[in-house]
Amino acid sequence: MKTVSVKNRCKFRVAGKPAARLESIPAPAHVAAIPHQIPLIRPRLLVKPNDSVKLGTPLIEDKGNPNLKLLSPGGGHVMDIQYGPRRVIEAIIIKIAPDEPYVEFPVIDETQISGMGREEIIDALMARGLWPLIRGIPFKGVADPEEAPAAVWVPLDILDPFHPHSDVYLAEGPAKEQFLFGIKVLQKLAGRVCVCEHTDRPVPDERLRQVLTHRAAGPFPAGEPGVMHYQTKQSAKENRAWYVTGQDVLLLAEALLTGRYPTARVMTVSGGRPDNNRHVRSRIGAPLKSLVKQIDSPEAYRWVAGGLFTGYNAAPDGFMGLYETALMLVPEVTEKELLGFARPGLKKPTSSRTFLSAITRPTLTVDADRHGELRACVNCSYCAAICPVGILPQYTYKCIYAEEIEEALAHGLLDCVECGLCSYVCPSKIELTETFKDTKHKYYWGKI
Ligand code: SF4
Ligand code: SF4
């Protein structure tokens, strides 16, 4: 087994990490699909308010590939369709009926899988609405079924400090058997399936150990599939690969083995109050408020769905999307700190050793304050020192700023795995990651 180390110097001592205990919480009364969080598709709406839908009824299809559908994560009726700016479909909310009707797909078990071809398996996963769980490197969009990827990466743990632990989600019911079945399915899609554990969370189960191919070592983003692929690929011919998270392999397997659209998900919650910090068993599309314990003022927090470094701001009355398995409540900071720059900063995180916390190394609570204004780049190179794929983010950013896209590509823009670390460490508060992500998307759509 090959070990891939990510050597960067950003060690996070953050408070409020989710405890390994798993709680079952009451089933939500309504759930939602969030089409705009499925990257690089052009959604066409297939339902309207008050339509009756079953669990597994198509809600949207991709205009570019109508076989690519997003299915209803609940059975009942369409309670509301929420739109954002420029009529972006933000959420399709489904009120769940007491008897929750569901679409029945043909069951496909282990003996049938071995006789099926690649196309048949792709069709089966497309029909069950789970193809979007398989994503492509370098653009992180939904995998192109026409592509022959160099490998499919299956990370069991990406060490974002707030993501679900593999030893929790793989301990559930038949999860281990489903995982092994899911790996067999993926082996039909690509010649090489790379299953990756992290050295901090070794897999104890002997059967699972037999499918492991790689081990990641080091702090976040160790185990991130783009990083693993970048560190192990042999040539530019292998630039394109696919990935699917360990927990999503369970969903693929369950959809085939049961003939039903799977709903159950293990998610992490942190922040708000100390006993919130835990894993919960809920379902895809669950309302964010259903995951947290009662808190006095929800608006006092920023609700971040999707992890500490790679998540996005959600409204308290929002929902977990198809990909999201982590929710953080980060305290908002509304008051300006008087002469903040002159304080020793014992409780301020620092990567550039600006504050005394670099020596005392306390465990700190993350808050939503930027702790400074946007400034010009000072060429400090902290972003370059942290980048796991060897980009010089400050120069790539300047190329984009100057609209020199060819040069940005030559700098390795497409290798960027959007880990968020360069934005996190930048003392000038420059949104490097967002810029790289937007530029990659524009390049994908041929807009630059
Ligand atoms: S960390 Fe920020 S200020 Fe420093 S070189 Fe990178 S972009 Fe410039
Ligand atoms: S450029 Fe920034 S976001 Fe991209 S991989 Fe490097 S550190 Fe991560």
Side-chain angles (χ1 to χ4, degrees):
M1 193 177 349
K2 194 175 167 85
T3 300
V4 178
S5 299
V6 176
K7 295 184 183 69
N8 59 34
R9 57 185 175 79
C10 199
K11 297 246 172 74
F12 312 104
R13 292 174 293 279
V14 283
K17 290 184 193 171
R21 76 172 195 279
L22 177 65
E23 256 179 40
S24 285
I25 53 176
H30 56 283
V31 290
I34 309 185
H36 76 111
Q37 290 297 346
I38 311 287
L40 305 178
I41 66 161
R42 286 176 292 149
R44 179 188 288 126
L45 195 57
L46 300 175
V47 290
K48 51 188 187 316
N50 296 321
D51 277 0
S52 294
V53 288
K54 295 179 178 177
L55 172 69
T57 299
L59 298 179
I60 63 144
E61 65 183 15
D62 178 23
K63 289 178 190 165
N65 177 6
N67 289 332
L68 184 61
K69 294 182 169 43
L70 188 60
L71 306 190
S72 176
H77 72 273
V78 179
M79 202 171 124
D80 192 15
I81 301 178
Q82 295 175 346
Y83 295 92
R86 289 182 290 156
R87 297 282 291 172
V88 167
I89 308 163
E90 285 201 331
I92 305 168
I93 304 172
I94 311 295
K95 172 95 180 148
I96 298 174
D99 59 338
E100 194 167 10
Y102 59 89
V103 178
E104 274 187 78
F105 300 101
V107 169
I108 299 176
D109 62 20
E110 199 147 348
T111 45
Q112 289 162 292
I113 277 287
S114 36
M116 287 171 77
R118 185 177 190 266
E119 302 306 318
E120 282 177 281
I121 293 178
I122 290 173
D123 290 347
L125 293 175
M126 286 269 188
R128 287 157 183 77
L130 292 175
W131 186 259
L133 294 176
I134 306 175
R135 315 266 298 267
I137 295 169
F139 292 103
K140 296 196 136 190
V142 177
D144 176 1
E146 305 290 318
E147 197 175 83
V152 182
W153 286 90
V154 182
L156 292 174
D157 283 292
I158 301 171
L159 278 209
D160 178 310
F162 294 91
H163 273 172
H165 302 185
S166 58
D167 41 7
V168 178
Y169 71 74
L170 282 173
E172 287 275 274
K176 294 187 182 80
E177 289 71 30
Q178 282 181 356
F179 183 80
L180 292 170
F181 174 74
I183 296 300
K184 282 192 185 139
V185 173
L186 294 175
Q187 280 164 345
K188 288 274 184 171
L189 300 179
R192 198 155 65 98
V193 177
C194 303
V195 185
C196 177
E197 69 171 356
H198 194 282
T199 47
D200 287 4
R201 298 216 188 110
V203 176
D205 186 279
E206 197 42 48
R207 287 168 306 158
L208 297 187
R209 295 207 66 73
Q210 286 172 10
V211 296
L212 290 178
T213 58
H214 289 72
R215 189 179 286 136
F220 176 80
E224 206 284 339
V227 176
M228 296 299 289
H229 190 62
Y230 175 86
Q231 304 277 5
T232 55
K233 70 182 176 185
Q234 305 288 321
S235 69
K237 277 192 206 144
E238 295 183 9
N239 276 350
R240 291 189 180 247
W242 291 353
Y243 68 93
V244 50
T245 67
Q247 196 175 172
D248 288 351
V249 171
L250 301 182
L251 297 184
L252 299 178
E254 190 185 336
L256 295 170
L257 289 168
T258 64
R260 282 175 69 164
Y261 187 82
T263 57
R265 261 278 167 88
V266 172
M267 305 173 182
T268 56
V269 183
S270 48
R273 47 187 262 188
D275 56 349
N276 245 342
N277 303 341
R278 73 230 197 268
H279 287 65
V280 294
R281 189 190 295 107
S282 186
R283 56 187 288 170
I284 293 173
L288 303 186
K289 278 188 180 159
S290 72
L291 306 176
V292 301
K293 296 184 192 257
Q294 185 70 39
I295 47 174
D296 291 340
S297 43
E299 63 289 342
Y301 297 93
R302 190 165 299 181
W303 296 57
V304 179
L308 177 61
F309 296 104
T310 53
Y312 58 88
N313 294 344
D317 54 359
F319 300 85
M320 294 296 259
L322 182 63
Y323 299 123
E324 278 69 66
T325 52
L327 173 67
M328 290 178 69
L329 271 61
V330 179
E332 291 281 8
V333 178
T334 46
E335 283 177 20
K336 284 250 176 220
E337 192 184 24
L338 186 64
L339 299 178
F341 58 88
R343 293 173 188 238
L346 285 165
K347 292 195 174 164
K348 286 182 186 167
T350 180
S351 184
S352 55
R353 297 165 196 254
T354 306
F355 301 116
L356 269 183
S357 66
I359 298 168
T360 54
R361 299 162 74 86
T363 298
L364 298 168
T365 305
V366 179
D367 66 39
D369 197 350
R370 247 185 169 174
H371 296 284
E373 300 296 318
L374 178 67
R375 295 185 295 267
C377 172
V378 290
N379 269 338
C380 62
S381 289
Y382 289 123
C383 54
I386 204 77
C387 180
V389 292
I391 297 175
L392 301 174
Q394 71 274 46
Y395 298 121
T396 314
Y397 177 81
K398 285 171 189 171
C399 294
I400 294 169
Y401 201 64
E403 297 184 2
E404 296 287 353
I405 298 308
E406 291 299 324
E407 211 166 319
L409 293 171
H411 268 280
L413 172 65
L414 294 188
D415 286 328
C416 169
V417 297
E418 300 161 27
C419 68
L421 288 181
C422 53
S423 297
Y424 178 75
V425 299
C426 177
S428 292
K429 321 292 173 190
I430 300 172
E431 293 288 358
L432 296 149
T433 311
E434 272 308 300
T435 308
F436 299 155
K437 189 173 164 184
D438 285 355
T439 312
K440 282 170 73 180
H441 285 192
K442 283 185 191 148
Y443 180 71
Y444 176 88
W445 290 117
K447 290 184 179 168
I448 49 174

